[in-house]
Amino acid sequence: MGFGIEAYFRALFHGEFPENASWDRVEGRIFGGQVVNKKELSASAAGNVSLGGEISVHRLGFGAMRLTGEGIWGPPKDRKGALAVLRRAVELDVNFIDTADSYGPHVSEELIAEALFPYPAGLVIATKGGWNRPGPNQWTHDATPSHLRKAVEGSLKRLRLDRIDVYQLHIPDPVVSFEASVETLAQLRNEGKIRVVGLSNVTLEHIVRARRIVPIVSVQNRYSFADREWDYVVDYCERSGIAFIPWFPLGAGKVAGDVLNQIAQAHGASPTQVALAWLLRRSPITLPIPGTSSIEHLEQNVAASSLRLTEEEYEELSRVPELAGSR
């Protein structure tokens, strides 16, 4: 049975896989006739990407937002399970974990430290600031200099770090000077509390303005094969040597689901894995960060590092029309 596009989005970013998309617990998945055994799973198969020439990470990371409770609020229902997922990610050579102080709030960062501290060599934790959280599924802007300073200090304490490797402005604040927000992060970098600076949910204009103040190593925007609004930002990042971190798209149409299913069946893979393979092929600077609260689904995502689309398959997915509502 096919795996619909709505189910694909739930699977990729909510960790909800249908039974018929489950991982073969014994033999692994077959990609183009090649069996990828669980013992051979490694995010290193995706290759590496540089963050500002200072940090190198494997090009398949882990997004830790969904480890929190419902509404990205409070602790997870299964705390032991969440800790196990984080530990398994590191076992699978995932060395880039993306989080934010607003996930929980604070819960995601606390879980990362509980599961992984003292951190293994080479593990990069990227976090973000710029939101307040009044309640479940509620987000209010605050990228004032005072808030960002407090956010960085809080993240340092929760993550048990002396310096945050990658700190990202979560989103520009419409009532705060963008330059003031970025200048605050530049100051914190000069003070040794941040190693490198990234942006999230930004336009090309924001990136250009920010780069006049401080080197920008990464941009995190909504993007997928079926949600291509930020194509031109990906192209700019590639030309500029900036890593592009795609987060989940808001929707896609029936045509996208049909094409995804067809290509997935040809590879003996899941649609989720094909979608990740497309992102990895899109540009050498893409760094997908699929999140899940399930070890099984984590392993499926990491297995996508080994999936190679043909040129024809890549182009077919690239021609899929966007859903107008995704903008």
Side-chain angles (χ1 to χ4, degrees):
M1 177 178 285
F3 184 18
I5 193 67
E6 291 183 4
Y8 145 62
F9 287 130
R10 290 196 300 271
L12 183 53
F13 304 109
H14 295 255
E16 301 171 8
F17 281 69
E19 291 182 3
N20 63 349
S22 66
W23 173 271
D24 184 327
R25 291 175 172 79
V26 179
E27 298 296 334
R29 296 290 298 185
I30 299 176
F31 293 140
Q34 178 182 4
V35 175
V36 179
N37 190 282
K38 274 194 174 184
K39 294 181 180 179
E40 301 170 352
L41 285 174
S42 173
S44 64
N48 295 331
V49 65
S50 173
L51 300 172
E54 293 192 36
I55 305 170
S56 179
V57 296
H58 300 322
R59 276 208 311 135
L60 191 79
F62 178 79
M65 181 176 73
R66 293 289 168 185
L67 294 181
T68 65
E70 292 185 10
I72 322 301
W73 185 264
K77 292 181 180 179
D78 181 2
R79 188 178 190 86
K80 289 184 179 179
L83 298 174
V85 167
L86 287 163
R87 291 168 182 147
R88 181 59 176 151
V90 171
E91 289 174 357
L92 295 174
D93 300 321
V94 171
N95 61 0
F96 182 85
I97 297 177
D98 179 82
T99 184
D101 67 343
S102 56
Y103 298 163
H106 306 161
V107 173
S108 178
E109 292 180 332
E110 291 167 349
L111 288 169
I112 290 168
E114 182 177 346
L116 302 175
F117 187 85
Y119 301 115
L123 178 64
V124 174
I125 299 172
T127 191
K128 301 182 284 293
W131 285 114
N132 278 319
R133 296 297 312 282
N137 289 317
Q138 297 177 47
W139 308 73
T140 57
H141 291 280
D142 192 347
T144 58
S146 60
H147 175 85
L148 289 174
R149 279 195 166 274
K150 183 179 178 181
V152 168
E153 295 292 350
S155 292
L156 284 168
K157 182 176 181 180
R158 286 184 293 274
L159 291 167
R160 307 178 198 174
L161 292 170
D162 296 322
R163 180 179 67 172
I164 296 168
D165 276 331
V166 183
Y167 196 87
Q168 305 155 91
L169 178 64
H170 209 151
I171 190 169
D173 188 328
V175 298
V176 174
S177 161
F178 178 70
E179 279 74 14
S181 298
V182 176
E183 284 169 0
T184 301
L185 299 186
Q187 292 166 6
L188 288 161
R189 176 174 173 265
N190 292 338
E191 293 168 15
K193 295 178 180 180
I194 295 172
R195 185 173 181 184
V196 294
V197 176
L199 300 173
S200 178
N201 301 299
V202 289
T203 65
L204 179 56
E205 180 190 6
H206 285 124
I207 303 169
V208 172
R209 287 163 60 188
R211 293 181 74 195
R212 296 187 186 121
I213 299 169
V214 67
I216 298 299
V217 306
S218 64
V219 170
Q220 184 171 157
N221 276 11
R222 189 193 73 236
Y223 190 74
S224 81
F225 79 96
D227 184 2
R228 307 278 296 282
E229 179 178 1
W230 301 110
D231 256 339
Y232 69 100
V233 170
V234 178
D235 294 337
Y236 174 85
C237 287
E238 182 172 341
R239 293 193 302 270
S240 305
I242 298 171
F244 183 86
I245 305 171
W247 62 268
F248 70 91
L250 299 180
K254 181 178 184 298
V255 173
D258 291 343
V259 174
L260 202 62
N261 279 322
Q262 177 185 353
I263 295 173
Q265 290 168 8
H267 284 271
S270 74
T272 302
Q273 291 166 326
V274 172
L276 286 170
W278 185 90
L279 285 170
L280 289 168
R281 178 156 181 168
R282 170 62 177 84
S283 170
I285 50 85
T286 56
L287 171 54
I289 50 167
T292 179
S293 58
S294 160
I295 287 179
E296 181 177 349
H297 306 150
L298 168 67
E299 291 171 346
Q300 287 188 331
N301 292 337
V302 172
S305 300
S306 301
L307 176 56
R308 300 293 183 263
L309 301 177
T310 67
E311 183 65 27
E312 292 76 14
E313 290 166 339
Y314 172 79
E315 292 297 337
E316 187 175 8
L317 284 168
S318 299
R319 289 192 297 268
V320 166
E322 293 183 66
L323 182 68
S326 70
R327 293 176 180 270

